Amino acid sequence: MKHTLQYKLLITIFSLTVIVPITYAQNVSVQQFWQLQQQQPHVIIDVRTPNEFSQGHLTSAINVPYQDIAAIVTTYKDKEQPILLYCKSGRRAEIAATSLQELGYTAVYNGRNYQDLKATQPHPIP
């Protein structure tokens, strides 16, 4: 009986480690996102669709849909340069961040939610 319980516990733990996805994205708060944005040089990438981007985006953000994120390797060769990502909820940005980290980028941050970031975006000083 004791061995059966240990066996079931071992199977449960193994199953959870297989089911739980591994995430490489470093999620940051809106405050951390804007603090990172103050560091130079940086890149802000909106990973939503071009249609979503055209309806509004953060100042200085470029649009690279998450499924096309690997294309930035030709433009942004410095893999230590901070890259700030966001989308509607954070899920697509997380996928893009994982892809970038698999390509060797080391300073990738997921700001997640566009609406929260837009609402707290600092205004440029004239």
Side-chain angles (χ1 to χ4, degrees), residues 55-76:
Q55 293 175 15
H57 56 273
L58 299 180
T59 305
S60 77
I62 61 170
N63 183 225
V64 181
Y66 78 99
Q67 67 272 21
D68 300 331
I69 198 67
I72 74 162
V73 299
T74 58
T75 307
Y76 301 101

Side-chain angles (χ1 to χ4, degrees), residues 28-103:
V28 294
S29 69
V30 292
Q31 294 82 11
Q32 291 169 317
F33 183 92
W34 293 119
Q35 287 172 350
L36 288 164
Q37 185 267 338
Q38 298 297 318
Q39 298 173 0
Q40 295 295 327
H42 66 277
V43 179
I44 299 177
I45 302 176
D46 182 326
V47 298
R48 299 176 301 157
T49 66
N51 185 46
E52 289 172 298
F53 185 80
S54 70
Q55 293 175 15
H57 56 273
L58 299 180
T59 305
S60 77
I62 61 170
N63 183 225
V64 181
Y66 78 99
Q67 67 272 21
D68 300 331
I69 198 67
I72 74 162
V73 299
T74 58
T75 307
Y76 301 101
K77 297 182 188 304
D78 179 1
K79 294 188 176 184
E80 294 178 8
Q81 179 179 18
I83 297 176
L84 310 174
L85 305 170
Y86 70 91
C87 62
K88 182 177 179 180
S89 69
R91 180 66 185 132
R92 290 176 283 180
E94 183 174 314
I95 294 167
T98 300
S99 296
L100 289 173
Q101 289 185 324
E102 288 172 354
L103 290 168

